[in-house]
Amino acid sequence: MATGRLDAREYFEGFDEPGRPATRDGFSWNFTAELSPISGWNDIIPGDGFAHLTVERRALKRRPKGSASWPFQTLSVGPVTSNQRISIRAKNTAIPGVACMLFTYREKTKVDEIDIEIVADDTEGDDTGHRTDTGGGWTDVRLNTWANADRASLEPARSVRMPIIDAEGERVSHRDGKFHTYTIEWRPQAVRFYIDGVLQKVIDDIVPDHPSTVIFGMRQMPWAGRPEWSGSQTMMVDWISIEPVSQ
């Protein structure tokens, strides 16, 4: 097991105050703004009860010249460890051209990561080209884990690609203008992924064991489809909750 493990702790942020949330209970905040320029923290958290994570259509080009990775627009908070349930309540998370995400991340000599990656249509999925609206379409999701993975090969890893399902097991679209809750339940033995309280998948063969940072927002990804919109799109985050779960 990893050394320097943190105890599971409880934390909630509702974005009711403008600016960077204060460091408290050992949790501290940062942001990355590469898909829409901002002047500071108040642009992301204006104090209206939401975090605003925006992507501009003109930013969604090929990978920027000289960049080693695709760009992000995210907030991050942490650290967290296993035996914690991490949830965000957000809307407009199925934006063509980007993946909207909730994930944990740690990179030193090895990589540890747990992902929920939401896309309107996964262009590398089995059903690429499907409808994405609420009139018969659905939203795709990737659920991933890495545990002590090699930085070059990113192995070992586990990845599941699937439609988001509701309580009846039906495929559903999140291009509906409504808020939804996305949850990672991270235990030492397994990671459980929930959306709107519905268990989507359990991964129990590759489970990270190092304290990590929680990151949420969006990232341009080559498999996230083409943006068929103009101007900008904003992922609205109502709150983030981090709470301990029993072993």
Side-chain angles (χ1 to χ4, degrees), residues 122-141:
D122 187 335
T123 62
E124 295 178 359
D126 293 337
D127 294 313
T128 184
H130 65 77
R131 290 179 61 172
T132 62
D133 63 311
T134 57
W138 67 88
T139 294
D140 289 327
V141 66

Side-chain angles (χ1 to χ4, degrees), residues 53-79:
L53 294 159
T54 299
V55 53
E56 296 186 352
R57 174 63 180 83
R58 62 185 178 179
L60 296 178
K61 303 173 182 178
R62 293 186 180 274
R63 185 183 303 183
K65 187 176 180 180
S67 174
S69 66
W70 296 95
F72 290 90
Q73 195 85 5
T74 55
L75 284 166
S76 60
V77 61

Side-chain angles (χ1 to χ4, degrees), residues 103-116:
F103 67 106
T104 68
Y105 188 75
R106 173 191 182 271
E107 180 178 352
K108 291 191 176 178
T109 58
K110 301 287 186 179
V111 174
D112 288 84
E113 186 170 353
I114 303 170
D115 295 345
I116 297 177

Side-chain angles (χ1 to χ4, degrees), residues 226-245:
R226 297 177 61 85
E228 76 273 4
W229 44 271
S230 59
S232 64
Q233 294 276 339
T234 299
M235 173 183 172
M236 302 282 288
V237 184
D238 186 16
W239 47 255
I240 179 170
S241 171
I242 299 169
E243 56 186 331
V245 292

Side-chain angles (χ1 to χ4, degrees), residues 29-46:
W29 286 82
N30 286 291
F31 70 77
T32 300
E34 299 170 334
L35 293 174
S36 180
I38 65 169
S39 60
W41 277 96
N42 283 26
D43 288 351
I44 301 177
I45 306 176

Side-chain angles (χ1 to χ4, degrees), residues 4-10 25 27 79-84 211 242-245 247:
R5 179 175 296 283
L6 300 169
D7 292 331
R9 294 162 297 154
E10 190 167 358
D25 302 324
F27 291 92
V80 297
T81 187
S82 61
N83 289 320
Q84 290 192 287
I242 299 169
E243 56 186 331
V245 292
Q247 298 188 37

